[in-house]
Amino acid sequence: MAHHPSDMITWSMLLRKVPTIVRALPRVLRGMRAANITDPTQPCGLGWHFEQATLRNPQGAALLYGDSVISYRDANQRANRIAHHLQGQGIRKGEVVALFIENRPELLLTVLAVAKLGGICAMLNTAQTQAALVHSLSLVSPAAIVVGAELVDAYAAVRDQVEIAPERTWFVADQAESGPPNGFIDLMAASAQSPEDNPVSCAQVFFNDPCFYIYTSGTTGLPKAGIMKHGRWTKTAVSFGSIALNMGPQDVMYCTLPLYHATGLCVCWGSAIIGASGFAIRRKFSASQFWDDVRTFNATTLGYVGELCRYLLDQPPSEQDRHNSVTKMVGNGLRPGVWAQFKQRYGVEHICELYAASDGNIGFTNVLNFDNTIGFCLQHWALVDYTHDTGEPLRGSDGYMTRVPKGGQGVLLARIDEKSPFDGYTDPQKNRKVVLTDVFEKGDRYFNTGDLVRSIGFGHGQFVDRLGDTFRWKGENVSTTEVENTLLQHPQIAEVVAYGVEIVNTNGRAGMVAITPRESLAALDMRELLQFAHGQLPHYAVPLFLRIKVKMETTGTFKYQKVKLKEEAFDPDKAGNDPLFAWLPGSDSYVPVTAQLLAQIQGGHFRY
């Protein structure tokens, strides 16, 4: 990401914000008190806050989807029926219920029900299949699973590899199916006669109780399950809903982001709950239908990721573009080149860009509405020097790390303390990898985000890049190790190196792999290889580019030279004699990359 000196925040810019700061101050102080719960006996979290929103706005719209509108009172009662039923089937506080349902009200009502019991929702990525799905389930040992009709086939394919009792395998119909498939129990039908009152268990959920397992791509391969506790959910929801966005019953948040990710589930839905606001969702994002939905739902607030904004800007301009009620939006990954354009075209006043890792302990928020920044963070954080080829933080001769100067960029570290605890992963080994000790002084502990951030003044930061062995594409983290391990199962592939490369005017990095064939290039069927990748990997992790290498170059310690491969990317002039191939949108095979095709790809001829 290119940076310009004008990105730095100056005193004059800050002074212009003084009236905004003064107006926001009471709200910020109120929000900070509500977000930082310290009393271990105070009820908090998702279920408790939803019940508070129901008391505040019982007739107001809680969930909007297609033509249906569910009020807060109705949503609360439906979730209560599910909760009482699950309780009757033995689901207790601290037990894990895996959820495998696409974006629709039934997913959120089930999440709410499990949260009211103090259960932990394992939010399965709906794009997962086969080995990745089995891995995600076995990581958290679920006591039960709820599967949407749309994902029954994906679950049925791995069911015999997962130990979940048939009497705790629930099904949620989609539209008006005739009934549950064999070996599933219809959750809505089974809970229809259960009590509608708030379960007593909801008032016995406290800040240290886990709420969700949210999966993140592990640099070591398959997904990791990050723990989100109710205290952290509360801090996230209040920080965005109250402090940053000032949500109220008159607001509607429109969210097309996947609800198995923290941005959709905790930031967007959480903000709506804190404001007793409407939460409008769609099964899958549609660029052509987006603004029609916004107008239908009368949305005031949007949830976004950078890619989504770019897709919307790619749509043909319309006289209707500014005909919307949106004043604010919250999300992450909006590039400076898109930022001003988006505000101008759609008339959005406040872009509340955020930075947070669902598995970390730190969050930045652009509360003051500066342009091109992730905002500021009240926690203790530092940017440190790092090794460019590995992305690892550097220690000096004294054993400690060095902070980068103001305006510089470095790896973002977040101090772990009582105010910023690290909830961690379900796997203790993963925790050890990301927790650094004795960073600036003996005994201190910091969470290594693995992200490159730039300091732009007055405590504000700017996201630069993701380091290490993951890259981001289509709003998802792609694990290079998972891609490598999957493609190595192909009988014609001897070696694989996966990495992310940039395509001009797209967000994130597209997947590319360097491959050494087992026999020869001629033995590789490019159509079959693409089919194989699609069958084994989530769609966003399928490599868009291939480079065929007779022999992989390695470092002295036998590590693949990824830095060089990333720099040369898919440019035939730089790749020497290595043949390059690309998978073009809408096609069913990899095709050779020529100088002409490279110019077309980088010239925006294809819609990635």
Side-chain angles (χ1 to χ4, degrees):
M1 188 189 285
H3 300 285
H4 194 269
S6 64
D7 283 343
M8 297 297 289
I9 294 171
T10 62
W11 272 108
S12 62
M13 290 166 80
L14 199 65
L15 287 170
R16 283 202 297 273
K17 296 286 180 187
V18 167
T20 312
I21 296 168
V22 171
R23 275 199 309 274
L25 210 54
R27 190 175 86 233
V28 171
L29 294 172
R30 257 198 328 272
M32 281 169 70
R33 273 200 303 274
N36 291 307
I37 297 159
T38 51
D39 178 359
T41 63
Q42 182 187 334
C44 74
L46 172 54
W48 188 83
H49 276 286
F50 198 91
E51 290 176 7
Q52 298 304 304
T54 301
L55 292 173
R56 186 175 157 200
N57 189 18
Q59 303 307 329
L63 298 174
L64 303 93
Y65 176 78
D67 300 328
S68 72
V69 180
I70 305 172
S71 71
Y72 266 94
R73 176 178 288 152
D74 190 15
N76 193 52
Q77 288 175 345
R78 289 195 203 185
N80 288 343
R81 286 199 292 265
I82 297 168
H84 284 294
H85 175 71
L86 295 179
Q87 207 168 31
Q89 300 306 305
I91 300 298
R92 298 285 176 262
K93 183 173 183 172
E95 285 196 308
V96 180
V97 179
L99 300 182
F100 199 37
I101 310 171
E102 289 182 350
N103 278 20
R104 48 193 182 102
E106 293 85 351
L107 170 63
L108 296 175
L109 295 172
T110 310
V111 165
L112 186 53
V114 175
K116 281 173 176 256
L117 297 177
I120 308 166
C121 296
M123 305 303 297
L124 295 167
N125 183 325
T126 55
Q128 283 189 343
T129 56
Q130 301 296 338
L133 181 56
V134 174
H135 170 83
S136 294
L137 284 163
S138 58
L139 262 185
V140 299
S141 311
I145 188 166
V146 185
V147 183
E150 64 279 17
L151 295 166
V152 161
D153 290 348
Y155 179 64
V158 302
R159 188 172 181 170
D160 58 350
Q161 299 170 62
V162 180
E163 290 179 19
I164 300 176
E167 64 273 15
R168 284 180 165 196
T169 302
W170 284 285
F171 161 87
V172 178
D174 192 10
Q175 278 97 45
E177 275 102 358
S178 51
N182 235 346
F184 288 84
I185 296 159
D186 188 323
L187 181 60
M188 299 306 162
S191 60
Q193 302 308 313
S194 296
E196 291 181 344
D197 55 317
N198 292 331
V200 179
S201 56
C202 193
Q204 291 151 7
V205 174
F206 309 115
F207 69 83
N208 224 12
D209 292 326
C211 182
F212 301 121
Y213 289 144
I214 293 179
Y215 294 89
T216 63
S217 283
T219 52
T220 52
L222 291 158
K224 298 178 290 192
I227 303 164
M228 167 78 71
K229 293 183 177 177
H230 280 274
R232 187 143 159 260
W233 181 92
T234 302
K235 190 176 278 191
T236 302
V238 173
S239 298
F240 290 104
S242 180
I243 299 173
L245 297 168
N246 195 21
M247 298 291 281
Q250 73 289 349
D251 282 305
V252 174
M253 166 80 75
Y254 178 49
C255 176
T256 59
L257 307 175
L259 295 170
Y260 52 76
H261 275 337
T263 307
L265 186 68
C266 305
V267 174
C268 295
W269 190 32
S271 296
I273 292 169
I274 295 302
S277 318
F279 188 55
I281 58 173
R282 186 183 174 98
R283 186 75 68 103
K284 291 212 166 66
F285 165 72
S286 162
S288 59
Q289 299 293 305
F290 190 89
W291 291 106
D292 288 340
D293 279 356
V294 165
R295 287 183 274 271
T296 301
F297 294 131
N298 210 14
T300 60
T301 316
L302 303 178
Y304 73 87
V305 289
E307 292 89 339
L308 180 149
C309 298
R310 187 174 57 78
Y311 293 145
L312 292 174
L313 284 175
D314 280 349
Q315 291 292 299
S318 153
E319 287 176 8
Q320 293 281 297
D321 280 346
R322 273 177 163 258
H323 177 55
N324 67 71
S325 45
V326 173
T327 57
K328 50 202 173 185
M329 50 199 272
V330 63
N332 63 287
L334 192 60
R335 289 174 21 171
V338 172
W339 194 297
Q341 229 182 321
F342 197 92
K343 279 178 101 164
Q344 175 59 34
R345 178 164 162 183
Y346 298 111
V348 180
E349 292 159 23
H350 185 180
I351 293 182
C352 181
E353 174 83 359
L354 67 96
Y355 167 89
S358 54
D359 50 344
N361 69 330
I362 187 165
F364 285 73
T365 316
N366 186 21
V367 175
L368 300 180
N369 197 20
F370 284 116
D371 285 341
N372 306 327
T373 172
I374 55 177
F376 65 89
C377 172
L378 295 171
Q379 293 149 281
H380 287 281
W381 56 280
L383 303 179
V384 298
D385 278 335
Y386 65 101
T387 315
H388 284 258
D389 55 347
T390 65
E392 289 299 312
L394 268 177
R395 291 189 186 265
S397 54
D398 58 359
Y400 296 119
M401 295 183 186
T402 312
R403 295 174 194 265
V404 299
K406 186 178 163 184
Q409 54 190 45
V411 177
L412 173 65
L413 307 183
R415 194 167 83 189
I416 299 169
D417 54 27
E418 270 184 26
K419 282 189 174 168
S420 307
F422 172 56
D423 293 342
Y425 305 109
T426 52
D427 179 350
Q429 226 179 326
K430 301 279 190 286
N431 295 334
R432 283 193 287 276
K433 278 197 153 172
V434 294
V435 176
L436 303 172
T437 51
D438 305 336
V439 173
F440 300 114
E441 57 186 46
K442 206 90 187 116
D444 65 6
R445 294 168 75 234
Y446 279 78
F447 171 71
N448 178 8
T449 65
D451 288 331
L452 200 55
V453 169
R454 180 166 169 256
S455 162
I456 60 170
F458 296 100
H460 281 62
Q462 199 170 52
F463 179 79
V464 180
D465 206 355
R466 193 168 290 275
L467 296 167
D469 276 346
T470 55
F471 58 88
R472 200 162 171 80
W473 182 245
K474 303 286 185 193
E476 300 276 0
N477 289 342
V478 181
S479 159
T480 56
T481 319
E482 184 185 348
V483 174
E484 288 164 0
N485 290 343
T486 300
L487 292 185
L488 281 170
Q489 293 167 23
H490 190 283
Q492 290 298 329
I493 294 175
E495 280 187 277
V496 185
V497 182
Y499 45 100
V501 293
E502 287 190 86
I503 303 176
V504 173
N505 287 329
T506 64
N507 275 76
R509 295 191 182 305
M512 181 163 184
V513 289
I515 287 173
T516 300
R518 210 167 274 289
E519 295 164 28
S520 65
L521 174 56
L524 267 181
D525 178 333
M526 289 299 167
R527 183 172 274 107
E528 186 277 329
L529 181 57
L530 182 60
Q531 257 178 349
F532 174 84
H534 270 297
Q536 302 293 319
L537 289 165
H539 60 90
Y540 55 81
V542 173
L544 269 66
F545 301 99
L546 306 180
R547 177 171 179 168
I548 309 298
K549 292 192 77 65
V550 177
K551 187 178 184 302
M552 294 287 188
E553 289 107 7
T554 55
T555 64
T557 53
F558 305 104
K559 289 199 172 94
Y560 292 123
Q561 293 189 330
K562 281 196 185 185
V563 175
K564 191 161 176 272
L565 289 170
K566 280 183 198 173
E567 282 168 2
E568 293 171 355
F570 47 95
D571 183 339
D573 283 349
K574 294 178 181 170
N577 295 323
D578 296 347
L580 297 170
F581 294 83
W583 166 38
L584 303 175
S587 67
D588 65 350
S589 179
Y590 289 106
V591 295
V593 178
T594 59
Q596 185 189 357
L597 184 59
L598 175 73
Q600 288 180 319
I601 291 169
Q602 299 291 34
H605 279 58
F606 301 101
R607 288 178 59 84
Y608 283 103

